[in-house]
Amino acid sequence: MKPMLAAAVAVLLWTAPSLAQEPEAAAPPAAPVAAAPSPEALHDEIRAIRDEILAAIAKSDFDAIVPHLHPNVVFTPMNNDVRRGPEEVRAYFDRMLKGPDAVLKSVQFDIKVDRLTDIYGDTGLAFGDSDAVYVMKSGMDLPIHTRWTCALVRHEGRWKIAAFHASPNAFDNPILEQSKKGAMLKAGGIAAVAGLLLGFLVGRRRKA
């Protein structure tokens, strides 16, 4: 064996045991896991969202609604004008209350829940009823009682509204009552004209 090769082998044999005994580097400490919010905290967050949205609608500050909406939110109000996404929801309120073709002067809500939001992991389901007063541009007040359902999801550590749907009683609401009154007035007008015409014809016949 050549002298240089023999020296290299001797160095390897000498250092191998010491290298095998070198302690392994300690693993970095694991990042602490954040504690999951308590059920009370989750329900308090949902209540805060409700209060902030109602206050925003009362002040016609529709931009304040957007942060509480999921990016894929589906919003279905009473007129079945389905809106998808936060910007479409904000545009809906702008059109109904602010735009040149606005039909409402103001709106007030009093939302009540049937019970605490049902929470299934990162999903929540709330439902209840609402007594709202819609003040039309014409000055007419329409108090409408509705039933509503709201789905929420945890998104980036916060509750976001994923879907909202509201509907009145199709057989008992002020819009239907107004339609009935209009139909009755129309029928009454027709009956009055028919009565006058009949009286006129009977009078002429008697004269003849």
Side-chain angles (χ1 to χ4, degrees):
M1 183 180 294
K2 295 182 179 180
M4 294 184 62
L5 180 58
V9 171
V11 170
L12 289 174
L13 292 175
W14 177 263
T15 58
S18 61
L19 290 174
Q21 296 173 2
E22 286 290 331
E24 295 182 1
V33 178
S38 66
E40 293 78 7
L42 293 175
H43 287 296
D44 286 342
E45 185 182 338
I46 294 172
R47 294 185 188 99
I49 292 173
R50 174 201 62 194
D51 294 342
E52 290 176 18
I53 288 180
L54 291 180
I57 293 175
K59 295 184 295 185
S60 296
D61 181 13
F62 307 123
D63 290 333
I65 298 175
V66 173
H68 299 299
L69 304 178
H70 189 273
N72 295 322
V73 62
V74 177
F75 175 69
T76 309
M78 289 188 300
N79 64 354
N80 289 337
D81 187 2
V82 180
R83 295 302 178 105
R84 183 72 181 266
E87 290 304 318
E88 287 193 11
V89 175
R90 183 189 58 76
Y92 168 81
F93 283 105
D94 282 340
R95 181 175 66 84
M96 296 296 289
L97 287 151
K98 285 186 175 182
D101 299 324
V103 297
L104 297 175
K105 184 177 180 181
S106 65
V107 59
Q108 297 177 350
F109 290 96
D110 179 19
I111 287 182
K112 298 181 285 282
V113 296
D114 286 358
R115 64 185 189 187
L116 286 176
T117 301
D118 293 324
I119 296 178
Y120 310 96
D122 290 339
T123 304
L125 182 65
F127 52 94
D129 57 4
S130 173
D131 290 310
V133 178
Y134 296 86
V135 181
M136 312 298 289
K137 279 287 187 179
S138 61
M140 178 188 300
D141 290 358
L142 287 179
I144 300 180
H145 182 82
T146 63
R147 292 290 302 175
W148 58 268
T149 303
C150 179
L152 304 105
V153 296
R154 298 291 288 177
H155 179 72
E156 298 179 349
R158 303 290 296 174
W159 284 118
K160 301 288 183 178
I161 295 176
F164 184 88
H165 184 277
S167 60
N169 186 332
F171 305 102
D172 183 13
N173 64 75
I175 298 177
L176 183 63
E177 290 300 319
Q178 291 294 331
S179 299
K180 289 180 179 177
K181 289 179 181 178
M184 291 176 63
L185 289 174
K186 184 177 180 180
I190 294 174
V193 171
L196 289 173
L197 180 60
L198 181 61
F200 175 74
L201 292 175
V202 170
R204 290 190 60 183
R205 184 175 180 181
R206 286 179 178 177
K207 288 180 180 179

